[in-house]
């Protein structure tokens, strides 16, 4: 039908035969994937389609990659495929100027949408206002992902009025804007549980400062920066999160910094207020200069979070300034000794994922080379990126004795390291990879021994059963003879 310039009635009848079967539809205006459509085709469909009927009455998921298409008329021609059955909608790579008309069309044509994603270049407050108006009309919306739209008081208010929204994500930074113009008001949320924001720390403080306690929010992802005036904004944000979101279970904090050359790693005191959140099960903290804690501070952290399942204290994978320029991360030799794993195994034996910056260069003491009474019960992965080590064989033996089950050992080496740290860390990576190989061999041997022991136990049990049966048969025979 798409090759016919003016569709005839019989063409529409044939389309209707198959239209009800379509559940997912994806448009991508890219010649590289074979979907180089002529836009006039869709103009024709929009112009001549039968009135009063939805094109695809059972369509559930609609994805449209606009490839920065700026023609509003062309955009509406594609969106004519939307209907009341659509529950999942994604628009990729849209130019900011087209967002208001798109959102108005969505609210009118697809009021049942539950999952909305809008991706594109950084937009203006006009687009934020359009999103706020759209949210008020999409009464069944549950998930919102808007990396191209700025979180403003109008959007915040519209989210608060929503009765079904459980997830909201605004992952595109607007660090060039001042929070002085932002007037966020205290709001309550009926269902909002997960929030993702990538903004400056002072902006985030201006958002949470006026809020009352938000007990329903349990998952918080923040990528903030840049830290241009020391770490006061970051510490203040941690204090606000602890007070305003006391029931947090999932916390992901990523930091950027304008002064990375002059800074050192994050310290325990920088985020200590978060220890007041007693329900935390997942905690991820990353900074371009790393995170430096002592064994005692790690013990305090684990005492405060007895339910912890995933813990990451590491370097950020990259660093970005206020202009959006990416810079290298600053590495310094770690000071947290390998023995901290004994503390973690004792206080958090059920942790599944662990990422720490370790110094494993010191010789292992006699106690560390022996099996420990505390072991990880279900460790799946240990990440030691940018850690140091000097005795691969001894460290592999130590690690094998600290976990009851096989786990994955990873060392990741970022591309954007400052100074001449990369050659040395390349050598460290080789040594940790050797440890991972030795660790695998040790677990192979351990599993073989356990299998052999199990086989012997089964054989011994079977022998005892046979002997018992023989005794019983003999006793029965003697009683019958009497």
């Amino acid at each position: 039908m798409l090759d016919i310039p003016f569709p005839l009635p019989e063409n529409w009848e044939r389309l209707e035969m198959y239209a009800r079967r379509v559940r997912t539809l994806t448009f991508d205006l890219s010649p590289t994937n074979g979907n180089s459509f002529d836009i006039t085709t869709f103009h024709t469909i929009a112009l001549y389609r039968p009135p009063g009927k939805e094109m695809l009455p059972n369509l559930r998921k609609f994805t449209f990659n606009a490839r920065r298409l700026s023609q509003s008329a062309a955009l509406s021609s594609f969106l004519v495929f939307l209907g009341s059955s659509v529950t999942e909608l994604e628009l990729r790579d849209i130019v900011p100027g087209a967002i208001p008309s798109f959102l108005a069309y969505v609210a009118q044509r697809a009021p049942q949408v539950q999952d909305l994603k809008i991706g594109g270049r950084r937009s203006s407050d006009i687009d934020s206002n359009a999103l706020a108006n759209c949210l008020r009309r999409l009464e069944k919306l549950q998930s919102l992902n808007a990396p191209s739209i700025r979180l403003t008081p109008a959007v915040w208010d519209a989210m608060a009025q929503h009765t079904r929204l459980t997830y909201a994500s605004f992952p595109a930074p607007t660090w060039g804007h001042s929070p002085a113009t932002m007037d966020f008001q205290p709001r309550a949320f009926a269902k909002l549980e997960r929030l993702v924001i990538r903004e400056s720390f002072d902006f985030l403080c201006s958002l949470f400062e006026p809020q009352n306690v938000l007990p329903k929010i349990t998952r918080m992802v923040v990528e903030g920066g840049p830290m241009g005036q020391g770490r006061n904004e970051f510490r203040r944000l941690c204090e606000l999160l602890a007070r305003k979101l006391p029931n947090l279970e999932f916390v992901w904090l990523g930091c950027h910094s304008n002064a990375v050359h002059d800074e050192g790693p994050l310290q325990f005191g920088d985020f200590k207020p978060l220890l007041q959140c007693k329900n935390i099960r997942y905690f991820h903290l990353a900074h371009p200069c790393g995170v430096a804690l002592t064994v005692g501070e790690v013990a305090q952290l684990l005492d405060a979070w007895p339910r912890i399942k995933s813990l990451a204290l590491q370097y950020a994978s990259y660093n970005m300034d206020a202009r959006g320029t990416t810079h290298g991360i600053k590495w310094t030799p770690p000071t947290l000794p390998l023995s901290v794993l004994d503390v973690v195994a004792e206080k958090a034996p059920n942790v599944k994922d662990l990422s720490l910056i370790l110094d494993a260069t010191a010789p292992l003491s006699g106690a560390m080379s022996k099996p420990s009474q505390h072991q990880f019960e279900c460790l799946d992965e240990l990440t030691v990126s940018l850690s140091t080590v000097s005795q691969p064989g001894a460290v592999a033996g130590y690690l094998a004795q600290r976990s009851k089950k096989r786990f994955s050992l990873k060392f990741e080496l970022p591309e954007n390291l400052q100074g001449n740290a990369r050659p040395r860390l390349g050598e460290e990576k080789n040594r940790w990879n050797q440890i991972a190989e030795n660790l695998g061999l040790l677990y192979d041997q351990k599993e073989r021994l356990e299998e052999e022991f199990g086989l012997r136990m089964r054989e011994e049990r079977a022998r005892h059963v046979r002997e018992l049966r023989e005794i019983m048969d003999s006793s029965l025979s003697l009683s019958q003879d009497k």
Side-chain angles (χ1 to χ4, degrees), residues 345-476:
E346 177 184 357
K347 295 181 176 294
N350 294 319
V351 71
K352 291 187 175 181
D353 299 292
L354 189 60
S355 179
L356 297 173
I357 311 165
L358 300 173
D359 174 20
T361 58
L364 298 183
S365 64
M368 291 180 63
S369 61
K370 297 178 181 179
S372 173
Q373 65 183 84
H374 302 292
Q375 290 184 305
F376 293 108
E377 299 286 343
C378 48
L379 184 64
D380 291 330
E381 183 173 294
L382 173 62
T383 301
V384 292
S385 298
L386 306 188
S387 297
T388 54
V389 66
S390 62
Q391 298 175 299
V395 171
Y398 167 83
L399 294 176
Q401 295 169 359
R402 265 60 186 178
S403 178
K404 291 184 178 181
K405 60 182 286 291
R406 183 190 297 263
F407 64 91
S408 173
L409 180 66
K410 290 187 176 181
F411 183 105
E412 297 174 354
L413 184 59
E415 292 291 336
N416 51 342
L417 287 165
Q418 292 184 5
N420 57 356
R422 187 171 182 81
R424 176 182 172 179
L425 287 171
E427 297 175 359
E428 299 291 350
K429 180 178 181 179
N430 292 334
R431 283 192 284 269
W432 283 105
N433 287 342
Q434 181 183 346
I435 293 172
E437 293 178 5
N438 293 343
L439 193 60
L441 295 175
L442 289 172
Y443 274 108
D444 288 341
Q445 182 182 28
K446 178 182 177 182
E447 290 168 1
R448 265 196 316 272
L449 292 173
E450 289 176 347
E451 184 178 354
E452 292 175 0
F453 179 77
L455 178 60
R456 292 176 182 176
M457 289 297 295
R458 290 191 295 271
E459 292 175 347
E460 190 68 15
R461 190 179 299 111
R463 185 178 66 81
H464 283 299
V465 170
R466 287 196 303 270
E467 291 177 352
L468 180 60
R469 286 178 179 174
E470 290 175 359
I471 294 173
M472 292 178 63
D473 291 343
S474 176
S475 299
L476 180 61

Side-chain angles (χ1 to χ4, degrees), residues 138-155:
L138 296 178
E139 297 180 354
K140 296 189 176 181
L141 188 68
Q142 299 177 14
S143 175
L144 171 65
N145 189 342
S148 63
I149 298 181
R150 189 183 185 197
L151 176 60
T152 62
V155 174

Side-chain angles (χ1 to χ4, degrees), residues 271-325:
F271 65 94
K272 188 176 180 180
L274 290 173
L275 269 61
Q276 301 172 39
C277 301
K278 301 300 183 181
N279 297 328
I280 288 182
R281 294 182 294 112
Y282 179 104
F283 185 75
H284 175 112
L285 178 61
H287 185 271
C289 300
V291 184
L293 270 65
T294 65
V295 174
E297 290 168 344
V298 172
Q300 289 185 54
L301 183 151
L302 297 174
D303 286 337
W305 299 334
R307 302 174 59 193
I308 195 75
K309 292 292 187 294
S310 180
L311 176 63
L313 306 171
Q314 58 188 35
Y315 283 88
S317 57
Y318 66 98
N319 186 37
M320 182 182 294
D321 61 21
R323 297 181 178 180
T325 304

